[in-house]
Amino acid sequence: MADKGGRVFESTQSTFEKDVLDAGVPTVVDFYASWCAPCKMLGPIIDRAVQQDGRVNLAKVNVDENLDLAADYKISSLPTVVGFRGGQPVAAFVGMRPPPAVAEFVQSLATGEPEKQ
């Protein structure tokens, strides 16, 4: 994987380690399902925030196709968004958020500074 952010891609159980845990840049992971209406609303917002920021990547994980991965990270509600840095989860949120809050989440992951509350 390139050490440049701004990429948006699907990740699976077999590629997650390379895509996220061993990534050279912070990575936002969007755990979603195709039947989840809030996931469909949040998806484009996260895509846009990651592409505009350009310092983090976005890995999308379909929980229906990657049940073990969802279980590994104890995903019980959708959408769940987890920020990884250095192979470790460092921040997360569950449910829909407005675009400014998503952009702030992405920026805080990129800079390593906590989100403003």
Side-chain angles (χ1 to χ4, degrees), residues 36-47:
C36 168
C39 299
K40 291 179 183 180
M41 294 185 321
L42 185 62
I45 295 169
I46 297 174
D47 291 1

Side-chain angles (χ1 to χ4, degrees), residues 40-86:
K40 291 179 183 180
M41 294 185 321
L42 185 62
I45 295 169
I46 297 174
D47 291 1
R48 197 167 27 259
V50 166
Q51 290 171 336
Q52 286 177 347
D53 184 270
R55 296 175 288 177
V56 303
N57 286 332
L58 172 60
K60 296 176 171 257
V61 175
N62 184 326
V63 296
D64 289 333
E65 297 172 1
N66 298 281
L67 295 173
D68 290 342
L69 196 51
D72 289 347
Y73 290 96
K74 297 174 178 44
I75 306 303
S76 59
S77 298
L78 296 175
T80 294
V81 177
V82 181
F84 284 79
R85 186 183 299 103

